């Protein structure tokens, strides 16, 4: 790490590190069908970057089902764990960027709204050696768009938020990163993210390398 470079690079997971939004759509569609409803891309867009609790409540509201919230949440988690344990599709450029950071000695962490049960198979597949730590959505009091997940990661890494670069794909995640005072790079997936002062927007992780991330840290 150079003096001018980031103290840490914090990766979101779903839609940023791994191509999981289509997997989520499959699982959500199956669970919704069991609740007696249908699931559309418009429904999924409402939940991008949100928590499992919000997703479950939204499904129950849409269907009017009396199914227990815990049971619906368990079905969602079980479906995702089964799929991620079988295959974890990395987003283009993800492994190359992680490898460059590791070789340069720059700390990386995973900060996700997903539960720990979903993060574990991803860490196994991607390689735990790439990440100094991970923060799961069920390990914080308030999930994205609240800044708590990113402030928690920075504190545990003993890094200044302003010297941390966050990579995010959703408006909720970007809001969390910016509220935490982190340097924020948006890589939109399902939902568009407009440019804004102090925010960098790129089309793919392939557009990022350590030199560009370092240039963003003042």
């Amino acid at each position: 790490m150079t003096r001018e470079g980031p103290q840490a690079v914090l990766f979101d997971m779903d839609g940023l590190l791994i191509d999981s939004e289509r997997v989520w759509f499959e699982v959500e569609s199956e669970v919704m069908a069991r609740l007696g409803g249908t699931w559309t891309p418009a429904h999924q867009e409402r939940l991008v970057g949100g928590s499992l609790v919000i997703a479950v409540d939204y499904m129950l509201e849409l269907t009017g089902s009396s199914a227990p919230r815990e049971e619906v949440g368990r079905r969602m988690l079980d479906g995702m764990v089964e799929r991620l344990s079988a295959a974890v599709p990395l987003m283009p450029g993800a492994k190359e960027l992680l490898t460059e950071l590791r070789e340069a000695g720059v700390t990386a962490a995973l900060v996700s709204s997903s539960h720990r049960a979903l993060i574990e198979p991803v860490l196994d597949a991607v390689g735990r050696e790439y990440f100094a730590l991970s923060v799961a959505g069920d390990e914080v009091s308030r999930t994205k768009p609240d800044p708590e997940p990113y402030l928690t990661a920075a504190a545990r890494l003993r890094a200044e938020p302003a010297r941390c670069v966050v990579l995010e794909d959703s408006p909720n995640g970007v809001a969390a990163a910016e509220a935490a005072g982190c340097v924020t790079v948006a890589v939109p997936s399902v939902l568009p993210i407009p440019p804004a002062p102090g925010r960098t927007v790129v089309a793919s992780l392939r557009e990022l390398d350590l030199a560009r991330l370092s240039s963003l840290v003042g």
Side-chain angles (χ1 to χ4, degrees):
M1 180 184 72
T2 64
R3 180 177 297 274
E4 295 78 19
Q7 289 182 332
V9 179
L10 311 180
F11 288 75
D12 175 49
M13 189 174 81
D14 292 295
L16 185 284
L17 180 67
I18 63 173
D19 185 12
S20 57
E21 293 300 345
R22 60 181 177 82
V23 184
W24 272 110
F25 186 80
E26 292 175 5
V27 173
E28 289 161 350
S29 297
E30 291 176 2
V31 172
M32 194 68 166
R34 294 188 66 175
L35 293 175
T38 57
W39 194 247
T40 69
H43 291 136
Q44 185 186 34
E45 289 178 5
R46 291 277 300 270
L47 302 177
V48 172
S51 68
L52 181 67
V53 171
I54 292 173
V56 170
D57 286 345
Y58 182 52
M59 289 179 161
L60 292 176
E61 178 185 350
L62 285 175
T63 60
S65 171
S66 59
R69 295 169 72 248
E70 295 78 10
E71 178 184 333
V72 178
R74 186 172 62 253
R75 288 177 183 170
M76 296 265 283
L77 283 176
D78 289 348
M80 286 299 295
V81 168
E82 179 181 357
R83 285 166 170 79
L84 292 179
S85 296
V88 176
L90 282 175
M91 294 297 279
K95 198 60 174 280
E96 292 82 357
L97 181 56
L98 284 170
T99 298
E100 182 183 12
L101 294 176
R102 184 167 185 258
E103 291 177 348
V106 177
T107 299
L110 190 62
V111 183
S112 177
S113 293
S114 286
H115 282 210
R116 173 59 58 184
L118 299 185
I119 289 180
E120 290 301 312
V122 173
L123 290 173
D124 287 338
V126 176
R128 293 176 181 271
E129 67 273 15
Y130 291 103
F131 302 100
L133 60 83
S134 57
V135 177
D138 54 337
E139 296 170 347
V140 294
S141 301
R142 297 174 298 277
T143 58
K144 306 171 189 179
D146 193 275
E148 182 183 345
Y150 284 115
L151 291 175
T152 298
R156 289 175 59 187
L157 293 169
R158 297 184 179 179
E160 303 170 34
R163 295 280 305 283
C164 293
V165 178
V166 169
L167 308 180
E168 269 286 355
D169 74 299
S170 72
N172 273 350
V174 166
E178 292 177 344
C182 299
V183 177
T184 306
V185 179
V187 191
S189 58
V190 175
L191 297 176
I193 301 175
R199 177 190 304 166
T200 300
V201 181
V202 299
S204 167
L205 291 177
R206 287 174 171 162
E207 297 182 26
L208 301 175
D209 56 18
L210 180 55
R212 184 165 187 185
L213 297 183
S214 296
S215 74
L216 302 175
V217 181

